[in-house]
Amino acid sequence: MKRNVISVVKFLSLAAITVLFTIYVFRFLRGSRISDTPTSLPLPEKLQDVEHVQEQPQNAGEKIDWQDLKKIREESKRSGKGEHGIASFLSPSLDVLKEKLYQVNGFNAALSDEISLNRSIPDIRNSECKKKKYLQNLDSVSVVVSFHNEHFSTLMRTCWSVINRSPVTLLEEIILVDDASTKIELKSKLDDYVYENLPKVKIIRLKKRSGLIRGRLAGAHKAKAKVLVFLDSHSEANVNWLPPLLEPIAQDYKTCVCPFIDVIAYETFEYRAQDEGARGAFDWQLYYKRLPLLPEDLKNPSEPFKSPVMAGGLFAISAKFFWELGGYDPGLEIWGGEQYELSFKIWQCGGQMFDAPCSRVGHIYRKFPPFSNHFKGDFLGRNYKRVAEVWMDEYAEYVYRRLPHLRTMDPGDLKEQKSLRKKLHCKSFKWFMDKIAFDLVDVYPLVEPDDFASGEIRNIGASDFCLDSKGRGQDEDVVLDLCSKDNPDIQGEQKFQLTWHKDIRPQGRTQCFDISRADLKAPLSLYPCHGSQGNQLWRYDVEKQTLVHGSSSPRCLDADPGRQKVFVTTCDSSSSTQKWRIEKVNMKAMNNWEKIGPKV
Ligand code: UDP
Ligand code: MN
């Protein structure tokens, strides 16, 4: 009996040694990729445990090339309308249809119908991205797309782009949330198409219009995968878009990652870059803004960089972290403000947010919003108030100063949101401003500095004449006219501000004096203010009384009183038409020119 036991033990140890040896040789021959192909050797339970324990540290950090090179090659050979993201056009015979579909979509949906649902788009990633490897151990995703009356072909192209450009193992499902659409083609035609062609796509139908925020929440509740990816219903995922989004989440689940959002032109469906990255931010009216990359971000153009707020439409987040944060505040209505809510709580409650340059997704920025949301009143203001009250602490005041109607607005019940913040021991908004959005107030100060100068701008050579912008808009000229102070008949717009941005604008408006030509007599026109960079930069020389445009090759504002025209030209200190008197000059601000506003 005893001998038997000994020989069984001997046999087992020999077998175990053999198995271990086999595994070792296997691994040696195949690198350490053994874990992704289940071994067919039936291992005793104990050994499986050993195997698991040994595998973890070795494989957890292993990186692979996730790119589907075969697919990339196939796509490069495609030809046809809109392929490779090249701009395309409709025959004029379709003008009536084009107009009809524009009205309900805000983009050229008739053209979309002529472009393949599987079209190729240009791989415009930074060249470093093409060489990058990512962790082999990544969690799969549920892609959630909420839509209200989306055009059929753009919605399906969103799905196809995700399916075509995601590794099969990383895509669990796509959840389409129909936010009570009324378009007929989004009913059984959509069901049938999805049933026949898109087995990974599931459709959830909401009974009543609930808005983007609750639509996304409904989809996220149904999601099975460990990572949630939210997309707009008119997006196109680009080559190898998922691994760069997933790796930072695999390294720390309290992470949210946004792709670069490329532009799909609303008229031609051309696919192009918006820019090569910037950090998300906001101004104190809560308009979404962008801050420049930091020097360390610029050094590594293919590495994820920290971003204070997301643009909103497209991002990946671990489901665990999303739900720890309570998802979106379900009290937010329709659309808007949710990107701030989630961004603030990610940062303040112990998480982090990145933009991943190697993940790119195109989005159709509409020409105009096609559907009315007015049935909910000022839902955007109410959303902002909820976000400000729950997350922004004393900084809410700076929002209310600019949006005073929010002060008296009822934000609804905030108890749950506030107790969540307490429960998670989230940090203060001051911490967020100091540590994460630390350069925001340089560009968007809490309190706007006073104007450098304001009032009428009168020509000295022709002293009856003043600058006049006539209430005009983008690309229209600023002219010279009789000063309305002395000539009440003149119907003009003659009050201006030389603001702390170092731009000049008609009082209270956001159109700025702009020079778009480099020739000798470049006309003065208006263009939406863009922060005094480049061609909207002005300086008033109090002593010489000149208005100087630009910094690298400055030119002076001059007037032709006979033709009532104004333009910039070579500065000439002897010219009296190049001299101007601004009604009010704030000498204290002028003496601090270098210290205030943009450094130029
Ligand atoms: N959306 C929704 N319900 C709404 C409004 C919008 O599901 O009440 C969807 C919409 O179809 C899109 C996403 O939310 O997929 C974002 O909306 P939209 O594209 O209009 O916003 P934009 O990108 O223009 O800011
Ligand atoms: Mn959109």
Side-chain angles (χ1 to χ4, degrees), residues 232 234 363-364 366:
D232 263 21
H234 32 253
H363 170 255
I364 305 177
R366 302 179 203 271

Side-chain angles (χ1 to χ4, degrees), residues 61 531 573:
S573 54

